[in-house]
Amino acid sequence: MARVKCPHCFHVNPDRQESCEKCGARLPRISIEAPEPARAPAQVPGRSQLQFHRGQVVAGRYTVLNLIGQGGMGSIYKVHDNTLGEDVALKTLLPQFLQDKVVLERFYNEAKIARRLAHPNIVRVHDIGEDGKILYISMEYLQGMSLREILDNLPPGERLPIAQTMRIFDQLCAALEYAHQFTVHRDIKPENVMLGQDGGVRLMDFGISKLMANTRLTNASIVMGTPFYMSPEQIRNSRDVDARADIYSVGVMLYEILTGSVPTGVPKPASQITKDVPPALDKIVARCVEPDPKDRYQNAAELRQALQPITQQIRSGINTSKTRLTRRIGAGEYSPRKILAGIAVAAILMGGLWGLGQAEQHRRAVLAEAAAQGGEAAGGAEAAATAEPSFAHYRAIMKTLQPLARERADRPGLNGAVAEGDRHWAAAEAATDEPRAIASARRALQCYLAPLVIRDGMVFVPPGPVSVGGATAELPGFLIDETEVTVANYARFAEAEANWSVPAELAGRANHPITLVSGFDAMAYAAWRGAELPTEAQWARAAYGDREPPDYPWEGEPDPELVVARFDGGAGVYTPGSVRSREADRSYFGCFDMAGNASEWTRTCEPPLASGEQPDYQSYLVTRGGNANEAPRPWTTRFPFPLMRSDPNLGFRCVVPVPDDPGAALSLLQPGA
């Protein structure tokens, strides 16, 4: 029997239904066969589907002991190899993937590659086999935990000891130095690094690796890896990456372990976040995550060599937090212009760090002066530069920043930023304790920086609260696009990046929102602009500020003529119209088309990810806002949508964070920055 699947919530409706029974969206008039209902977004294929039970003998050889892990495509079991008389691990593939040629090739590829790798820091793979309809790989059974599990089990605010971190990365580099003779791993992340009970490191999961001689496994339209750890060139084209893509991923992972977060937006150097991190590591991380591969370490041996002097000094007990082991990075190597030289998925920034050349010298001088004004203990410029900013630091920067902000207060899109800054600064000056003073000073700093960093076509959303899903959150300030990204905007990106293109269906609609692009495509565009997708909270803050969200932006009953400016695409199907379609659909902070025209991607995952987990190609991102092909719906409506899928009614806009600490502000104030 013919059914109609909703393109938004995937509910399968009876034939001839005009709107979705579940979400109310208008349904396409083309019927499709749907023998079974689509999975709900929150489900992941393969979860809770046991293939073997305890005591079962697999392939006449392996006795199943217990299940030790599950993923989206299969499971891992601890088994006893009755032939060899030892415990091994069986990695299985779920039956539903046996018809998927890409998945099958990845599975066989892992076995093919890993069997060629014999190194003490790489998990040994023994064989590949089949039991009925189940494929499996037998491999070394490790007693230990993944690096991700170790990080997740740390108490809040704690980090791995720096000496242990250096040992881990020394062994990881050794594994890559060997593996790169044969393959590029392409999925370096904490989940794929195991620490045995003996402290040894094992790199595993070569399932998406590419043999140096294999040119057919992936093509330019298939991007594999974990977005937050992927290099820019890997996101653009998985086919042609080399060992330097793994170097990038190692740099992201090193920063995450040192600081507790991946380097997105405008991150501080790790030594300014975690006190035990040697400043010399900042340069190493910065070079690893350079956007251009030629500016990174060219191989794992180079990176390992750069890390070894720090490791040796830590072993000898020298206080590396006060020792510069390498020369300061000059402006030619890493300039303050690389404020946003990063990329992240789903949501995806390359993670560039602030420059440390002439801007760093000036920063030290000003912070040292601020420290003296604040009566700080002796320690000089070095201590002032590496310390957490005090209120005295904010007071010092305000002498320069406030006059500049007032000179530019009339620039478009600022939403009274300077007046907001004055309000927060008055609260900071009146605060009776340091933490409250700093909290207000951070907000004031963002407001005063807004006139300096505002971009054409963007508006400033001041720091403040927002209500999402019944909960209230306090957000830092940020810049956001005044309209959805247009076809013309996206076309410039496509011209610069050969692996992207404007969908043919949108030809001639330059001022319409770009749609028919996946969340991954949207993240790639945002990164190209030095921006990112908004979180759901940022989207909501830009839409209705700190008010309780109204049902509709005009506060009254829904009026289809106001919700969207519709474009009749034929056969009763509407597509988004030009941006700025209706003045009534203008948000609290001046953003157009947030209630209608095209729904919009955010970078918030649904269901929420566990601590430290990153989105992958199976993830769903929250989409917000109404669109031209649906009945009017409240501003608060949200739909999860697959990261790698596209829709003719789904577009996006970008955000740019605004710095909130004195060091970042000083970098921006440097001549030529």
Side-chain angles (χ1 to χ4, degrees):
M1 175 179 173
R3 308 277 191 204
V4 181
K5 184 187 291 185
C6 175
H8 296 276
C9 70
F10 311 115
H11 178 68
V12 179
N13 296 273
D15 191 22
R16 299 181 183 177
Q17 186 88 359
E18 292 187 359
S19 60
C20 179
E21 294 176 321
K22 184 176 180 181
C23 70
R26 180 175 295 180
L27 295 173
R29 295 195 175 187
I30 300 173
S31 297
I32 60 172
E33 291 297 321
E36 60 180 12
R39 292 185 181 91
Q43 294 178 329
V44 177
R47 289 282 164 89
S48 302
Q49 298 183 35
L50 295 179
Q51 300 155 289
F52 302 139
H53 57 79
R54 185 179 176 87
Q56 180 178 348
V57 178
V58 179
R61 176 174 177 175
Y62 304 103
T63 300
V64 178
L65 301 178
N66 58 276
L67 175 73
I68 57 177
Q70 283 185 290
M73 291 188 292
S75 304
I76 302 179
Y77 297 84
K78 179 182 178 182
V79 301
H80 184 74
D81 186 334
N82 300 311
T83 301
L84 299 179
E86 64 182 21
D87 292 344
V88 299
L90 283 190
K91 183 173 184 177
T92 67
L93 185 67
L94 288 173
Q96 59 260 39
F97 292 108
L98 293 177
Q99 304 304 315
D100 190 321
K101 293 182 179 180
V102 173
V103 174
L104 277 178
E105 194 162 9
R106 285 182 58 189
F107 197 77
Y108 281 112
N109 193 55
E110 176 169 9
K112 182 178 179 182
I113 293 171
R115 285 185 65 183
R116 294 175 58 177
L117 304 179
H119 190 275
N121 296 121
I122 297 176
V123 173
R124 295 195 311 274
V125 167
H126 304 309
D127 201 4
I128 186 168
E130 184 176 349
D131 186 279
K133 292 186 177 181
I134 300 175
L135 288 177
Y136 64 82
I137 297 174
S138 64
M139 60 182 65
E140 176 185 8
Y141 173 69
L142 297 176
Q143 291 187 321
M145 301 174 70
S146 74
L147 185 52
R148 172 61 67 208
E149 292 173 308
I150 291 172
L151 295 176
D152 287 348
N153 288 330
L154 290 173
E158 287 196 14
R159 304 284 179 263
L160 286 181
I162 186 66
Q164 182 183 7
T165 298
M166 299 308 293
R167 287 196 299 271
I168 290 170
F169 278 83
D170 180 72
Q171 294 181 60
L172 177 59
C173 286
L176 288 174
E177 185 178 351
Y178 171 81
H180 284 164
Q181 299 175 65
F182 310 96
T183 184
V184 181
H185 189 283
R186 298 195 304 170
D187 200 20
I188 302 295
K189 58 184 178 181
E191 288 82 351
N192 288 337
V193 177
M194 290 290 295
L195 270 66
Q197 292 181 344
D198 60 355
V201 170
R202 301 286 197 284
L203 178 61
M204 61 182 186
D205 199 354
F206 284 81
I208 64 171
S209 300
K210 184 189 73 173
L211 283 172
M212 295 299 188
N214 185 353
T215 60
R216 67 181 184 86
L217 178 61
T218 59
N219 58 54
S221 63
I222 300 176
V223 180
M224 293 182 175
T226 304
F228 280 122
Y229 300 91
M230 288 166 61
S231 65
E233 68 272 18
Q234 185 174 345
I235 287 174
R236 290 192 295 266
N237 184 346
S238 290
R239 183 181 57 195
D240 297 327
V241 300
D242 58 26
R244 295 171 295 183
D246 285 347
I247 298 298
Y248 182 97
S249 302
V250 170
V252 174
M253 194 169 77
L254 177 56
Y255 184 90
E256 178 184 12
I257 292 171
L258 294 174
T259 67
S261 60
V262 293
T264 60
V266 186
K268 292 182 180 179
S271 65
Q272 294 185 21
I273 298 174
T274 306
K275 64 180 181 180
D276 294 332
V277 174
L281 271 178
D282 296 333
K283 175 181 179 178
I284 293 174
V285 172
R287 186 171 174 187
C288 286
V289 300
E290 282 284 359
D292 192 330
K294 72 176 185 299
D295 295 329
R296 297 177 206 148
Y297 295 102
Q298 297 301 289
N299 52 61
E302 274 190 29
L303 175 56
R304 190 182 187 193
Q305 185 177 7
L307 291 170
Q308 283 177 345
I310 304 174
T311 302
Q312 292 168 1
Q313 293 216 5
I314 290 172
R315 287 174 179 170
S316 66
I318 295 175
N319 183 358
T320 54
S321 65
K322 298 295 183 182
T323 306
R324 296 280 178 180
L325 299 179
T326 54
R327 65 184 178 87
R328 189 176 298 143
I329 304 175
E333 296 177 59
Y334 206 81
S335 75
R337 291 179 180 275
K338 294 183 180 177
I339 292 171
L340 285 169
I343 191 166
V345 172
I348 305 171
L349 296 178
M350 296 174 193
L353 301 174
W354 291 100
L356 298 177
Q358 297 300 318
E360 172 69 3
Q361 296 177 9
H362 182 72
R363 174 180 178 274
R364 286 167 176 249
V366 174
L367 290 182
E369 177 187 353
Q373 292 176 356
E376 306 237 342
E382 182 76 25
T386 58
E388 195 66 24
S390 69
F391 184 58
H393 297 145
Y394 286 94
R395 182 178 284 119
I397 190 63
M398 290 301 175
K399 294 178 181 179
T400 302
L401 185 57
Q402 285 176 322
L404 285 175
R406 291 193 169 90
E407 286 177 9
R408 307 184 191 186
D410 59 348
R411 297 182 69 180
L414 289 176
N415 289 315
V418 174
E420 275 287 290
D422 290 342
R423 183 172 68 84
H424 289 303
W425 185 243
E429 297 267 53
T432 56
D433 59 79
E434 181 89 349
R436 288 186 184 181
I438 290 177
S440 293
R442 284 186 182 277
R443 299 186 191 103
L445 183 67
Q446 286 195 311
C447 293
Y448 289 137
L449 279 176
L452 281 66
V453 299
I454 191 76
R455 300 186 183 187
D456 291 341
M458 303 190 91
V459 299
F460 174 61
V461 179
V466 65
S467 175
V468 179
T472 300
E474 186 77 20
L475 295 187
F478 56 92
L479 306 178
I480 188 167
D481 285 334
E482 186 179 23
T483 71
E484 294 146 330
V485 173
T486 65
V487 173
N489 298 145
Y490 197 84
R492 286 189 283 273
F493 162 65
E495 288 172 6
E497 303 294 337
N499 294 299
W500 275 272
S501 61
V502 173
E505 298 90 330
L506 300 179
R509 301 183 190 175
N511 204 39
H512 289 225
I514 181 71
T515 58
L516 291 169
V517 294
S518 69
F520 192 87
D521 296 330
M523 289 178 171
Y525 168 87
W528 175 76
R529 270 184 59 185
E532 55 193 334
L533 293 186
T535 63
E536 183 180 9
Q538 286 175 324
W539 191 96
R541 169 85 175 142
Y544 46 79
D546 54 3
R547 306 176 301 169
E548 279 298 313
D551 281 345
Y552 303 96
W554 37 87
E555 303 283 2
E557 291 298 316
D559 180 345
E561 294 306 315
L562 288 176
V563 177
V564 292
R566 291 181 165 175
F567 177 90
D568 190 345
V573 177
Y574 293 101
T575 58
S578 298
V579 296
R580 297 183 176 87
S581 297
R582 288 288 187 270
E583 180 63 33
D585 191 356
R586 191 171 187 179
S587 78
Y588 188 71
F589 289 110
C591 295
F592 285 93
D593 304 325
M594 298 194 81
N597 215 14
S599 298
E600 298 179 22
W601 290 102
T602 76
R603 69 175 190 271
T604 297
C605 283
E606 182 67 30
L609 298 178
S611 174
E613 191 177 357
Q614 308 295 350
D616 58 26
Y617 65 91
Q618 291 181 320
S619 296
Y620 285 74
L621 299 182
V622 172
T623 66
R624 294 292 300 261
N627 64 66
N629 205 39
E630 297 179 354
R633 62 191 191 191
W635 237 342
T636 52
T637 307
R638 62 199 300 272
F639 284 112
F641 202 79
L643 169 70
M644 301 305 292
R645 287 188 58 183
S646 62
D647 187 271
N649 301 302
L650 184 54
F652 65 97
R653 68 185 74 215
C654 299
V655 300
V656 173
V658 178
D660 65 355
D661 71 271
L666 282 165
S667 293
L668 287 172
L669 295 176
Q670 300 314 301

